[in-house]
Amino acid sequence: MMKRVIPLILIGGAAASRLGLSNVGVEETGDLIEFFPEEFPSREELLERARKLEEMPEQGPDLSLTQLVGDSQSERREAVSCSDSEAKVSVTLKTAGKGWQTSYVIKDSSNKSVLSMPGSNSQFGNNNSYTEELCLEPGQYTLRLKDSNGDGMCSNGSCGSIKVEVGGSTVLNIASKQAFSVVDKVFTVVLFSGRNSFSGSSSSSQTFTGDSGFESKSCYDTSVYLKIDKYGKETSFDITKKGTSKSIFSKTKPLGAYEDETFDAGCLQPGDYTITFTDIDGICCKNGEGEFKLIIDGVELFSGGSFVGSISHDFKIGYDWGEGMASRDWEYLLAHNKRREDYHTRCTKNYCGKKYRPLKWSQGLAADAKVYANQLLDSCDDTGIHHEDGIEQGENLAKNKGHGTWGDLYPADNIVKRFVDNEATWAWHKNAHLTQALWYATKYLGCAESVKTMSNGATCRMQVCRYAKAGNCEMSKYDSENWPNHEIPMMMDDTACGPVCPPEGCYI
């Protein structure tokens, strides 16, 4: 499975037990992941760096030319006092050995530096702690942590760390043992005197409904388009009732090299089916650009061609995917689709004239999302939300916790707003929630939530959305970090991401 790199966004508040406040909490979106360079140094390069470091004096460059920053315990600056329109932000850096290699900068949303440490002609010492306090207006900021030698913050078995606090609540905590040259982390500053992102409580009193567009029919015209590679005799396909081996329809004639044909499978009755394609090395892309398509009532259900041996897909005919959807389900679906309609029909540098492709609700994806949402409750005390390992499905995560309105059930539109609207001006891979929610090849969505009361009386809520196909694959292939190149793979008709179908199978 392709690793989806997701940024961490925090909107922080101090714990009520510490500050005695009744309306404080935290909101998070995404995964706590370091942004390391695309290319890691080779083992030989790291060994050479280590050899050179052994030859350097422990304190780093000649101290006659630089000045060590003072120890925070003895030379810490006087505490700052912030205005009513600002929040107090504290940055604490702990160094291990070779602290002189470390520096950091905090930049605002316009890329202007608001703090740069250790400052000109200065450096951090070894095995020390340094704290800087400053006042920042509400908004999004980026902490850029640098290591001049590219080997991270660890030395001789111990590692450094850096922590950012807003109003006494930790919003970033980087303590990685991995090598890096540059790490970028985004955090959000808010005031604690009120709610800045959400107002009111749950939208559960409202009713959100939609229309799946389902029309009941006695049968559905089914056809299979097949374009083969150089070796046509190897390729076959077979349609069976799901769970059986009895063939309903199969390839009816051989095809020559690079030929294509649309096979009419007839009018199939409502039910669950499986189609299996067989070829020694697939039909794409070693020996030609072959492909297959399953078409139901003139609508392409799915396509493919790259596989080894065989590949099977389950599909449903005459399936009303909207049946049984709760009001909350519709709320999530409509929140996604109104944004997809907006983005898909735009005319931009990289795409124009695309047809809006709405998502359909998947009970299977929602069920998987519910299982993981419940598991995430065990991490309510953690900073960051970590994606489930080993899944092919796309995934967006969010969390809110705290006392008072911080623990409310937010409208799903506000949660999806954090996935999409809040990242609309960000480049890849900070906008990975947006690209997944808008990914054009994605056709199915399922979301779920979980809630628990924590030991301190605060409420913790987890929100999980799952997608098929998944998004965000092969992004580096298109230089997606160069804005707005992320739109190129995001708006392709089809991509190599999986899975093709949700757990219950594909449907129109």
Side-chain angles (χ1 to χ4, degrees), residues 16 46 54 57 116 127 186 282 291 327 411 457 461 480:
L46 291 175
E54 291 299 322
S116 181
N127 303 303
V186 176
E291 64 175 335
S327 172
R461 295 183 183 273
S480 292

mmCIF file of all heavy atoms in Angstrom, residues 16 46 54 57 116 127 186 282 291 327 411 457 461 480:
data_model
loop_
_atom_site.group_PDB
_atom_site.id
_atom_site.type_symbol
_atom_site.label_atom_id
_atom_site.label_comp_id
_atom_site.label_asym_id
_atom_site.label_seq_id
_atom_site.Cartn_x
_atom_site.Cartn_y
_atom_site.Cartn_z
ATOM 1 N N ALA A 16 -8.742 21.311 31.009
ATOM 2 C CA ALA A 16 -9.556 22.026 31.992
ATOM 3 C C ALA A 16 -9.026 21.832 33.402
ATOM 4 O O ALA A 16 -9.084 22.729 34.242
ATOM 5 C CB ALA A 16 -11.005 21.566 31.898
ATOM 6 N N LEU A 46 25.868 8.058 5.033
ATOM 7 C CA LEU A 46 25.730 8.239 6.478
ATOM 8 C C LEU A 46 27.011 7.843 7.213
ATOM 9 O O LEU A 46 27.414 8.494 8.179
ATOM 10 C CB LEU A 46 24.540 7.429 6.999
ATOM 11 C CG LEU A 46 23.162 7.926 6.559
ATOM 12 C CD1 LEU A 46 22.079 6.962 7.047
ATOM 13 C CD2 LEU A 46 22.895 9.322 7.097
ATOM 14 N N GLU A 54 33.210 12.442 13.777
ATOM 15 C CA GLU A 54 34.166 12.001 14.789
ATOM 16 C C GLU A 54 35.419 12.860 14.778
ATOM 17 O O GLU A 54 36.105 13.012 15.793
ATOM 18 C CB GLU A 54 34.531 10.528 14.554
ATOM 19 C CG GLU A 54 33.398 9.564 14.826
ATOM 20 C CD GLU A 54 32.927 9.633 16.264
ATOM 21 O OE1 GLU A 54 33.772 9.798 17.162
ATOM 22 O OE2 GLU A 54 31.708 9.531 16.497
ATOM 23 N N PRO A 57 35.447 18.794 16.581
ATOM 24 C CA PRO A 57 35.367 19.045 18.017
ATOM 25 C C PRO A 57 33.922 18.938 18.478
ATOM 26 O O PRO A 57 32.999 19.261 17.729
ATOM 27 C CB PRO A 57 35.890 20.481 18.157
ATOM 28 C CG PRO A 57 35.686 21.101 16.811
ATOM 29 C CD PRO A 57 35.876 19.983 15.826
ATOM 30 N N SER A 116 13.182 33.127 14.609
ATOM 31 C CA SER A 116 14.295 32.390 14.030
ATOM 32 C C SER A 116 15.338 32.169 15.109
ATOM 33 O O SER A 116 15.850 33.132 15.709
ATOM 34 C CB SER A 116 14.909 33.178 12.861
ATOM 35 O OG SER A 116 15.981 32.465 12.277
ATOM 36 N N ASN A 127 23.099 19.105 24.990
ATOM 37 C CA ASN A 127 22.376 18.585 26.167
ATOM 38 C C ASN A 127 21.802 19.715 27.014
ATOM 39 O O ASN A 127 21.960 19.752 28.232
ATOM 40 C CB ASN A 127 23.305 17.705 27.008
ATOM 41 C CG ASN A 127 23.877 16.560 26.213
ATOM 42 O OD1 ASN A 127 23.135 15.757 25.647
ATOM 43 N ND2 ASN A 127 25.198 16.495 26.131
ATOM 44 N N VAL A 186 2.952 21.966 10.440
ATOM 45 C CA VAL A 186 1.959 23.031 10.465
ATOM 46 C C VAL A 186 1.179 22.970 11.779
ATOM 47 O O VAL A 186 0.814 21.895 12.246
ATOM 48 C CB VAL A 186 0.990 22.896 9.273
ATOM 49 C CG1 VAL A 186 -0.105 23.953 9.335
ATOM 50 C CG2 VAL A 186 1.761 23.024 7.960
ATOM 51 N N GLY A 282 -1.340 -10.371 -17.321
ATOM 52 C CA GLY A 282 -2.230 -9.234 -17.473
ATOM 53 C C GLY A 282 -2.278 -8.752 -18.909
ATOM 54 O O GLY A 282 -1.662 -9.324 -19.814
ATOM 55 N N GLU A 291 -6.807 -3.281 -21.831
ATOM 56 C CA GLU A 291 -7.659 -2.898 -20.705
ATOM 57 C C GLU A 291 -8.980 -3.652 -20.780
ATOM 58 O O GLU A 291 -9.347 -4.221 -21.807
ATOM 59 C CB GLU A 291 -7.930 -1.389 -20.699
ATOM 60 C CG GLU A 291 -8.712 -0.898 -21.902
ATOM 61 C CD GLU A 291 -9.069 0.572 -21.811
ATOM 62 O OE1 GLU A 291 -9.141 1.095 -20.682
ATOM 63 O OE2 GLU A 291 -9.292 1.198 -22.868
ATOM 64 N N SER A 327 -29.422 9.932 8.671
ATOM 65 C CA SER A 327 -29.291 11.360 8.397
ATOM 66 C C SER A 327 -27.840 11.809 8.472
ATOM 67 O O SER A 327 -27.382 12.609 7.658
ATOM 68 C CB SER A 327 -30.143 12.154 9.404
ATOM 69 O OG SER A 327 -29.895 13.540 9.297
ATOM 70 N N PRO A 411 -21.251 19.415 13.222
ATOM 71 C CA PRO A 411 -21.846 19.111 11.915
ATOM 72 C C PRO A 411 -20.806 18.484 11.004
ATOM 73 O O PRO A 411 -19.645 18.910 10.976
ATOM 74 C CB PRO A 411 -22.290 20.492 11.404
ATOM 75 C CG PRO A 411 -22.468 21.321 12.646
ATOM 76 C CD PRO A 411 -21.428 20.833 13.612
ATOM 77 N N GLY A 457 -13.230 13.750 32.642
ATOM 78 C CA GLY A 457 -14.562 14.250 32.369
ATOM 79 C C GLY A 457 -14.733 14.864 30.998
ATOM 80 O O GLY A 457 -15.853 15.210 30.610
ATOM 81 N N ARG A 461 -14.002 12.621 20.698
ATOM 82 C CA ARG A 461 -14.718 12.141 19.516
ATOM 83 C C ARG A 461 -13.733 11.911 18.375
ATOM 84 O O ARG A 461 -12.874 12.749 18.114
ATOM 85 C CB ARG A 461 -15.791 13.140 19.065
ATOM 86 C CG ARG A 461 -16.912 13.317 20.064
ATOM 87 C CD ARG A 461 -17.981 14.268 19.529
ATOM 88 N NE ARG A 461 -19.016 14.490 20.522
ATOM 89 C CZ ARG A 461 -20.091 13.741 20.691
ATOM 90 N NH1 ARG A 461 -20.279 12.694 19.895
ATOM 91 N NH2 ARG A 461 -20.988 14.002 21.614
ATOM 92 N N SER A 480 4.195 16.866 -7.541
ATOM 93 C CA SER A 480 3.004 17.464 -6.942
ATOM 94 C C SER A 480 3.312 18.526 -5.891
ATOM 95 O O SER A 480 2.430 19.319 -5.548
ATOM 96 C CB SER A 480 2.124 16.364 -6.316
ATOM 97 O OG SER A 480 1.581 15.553 -7.323
#
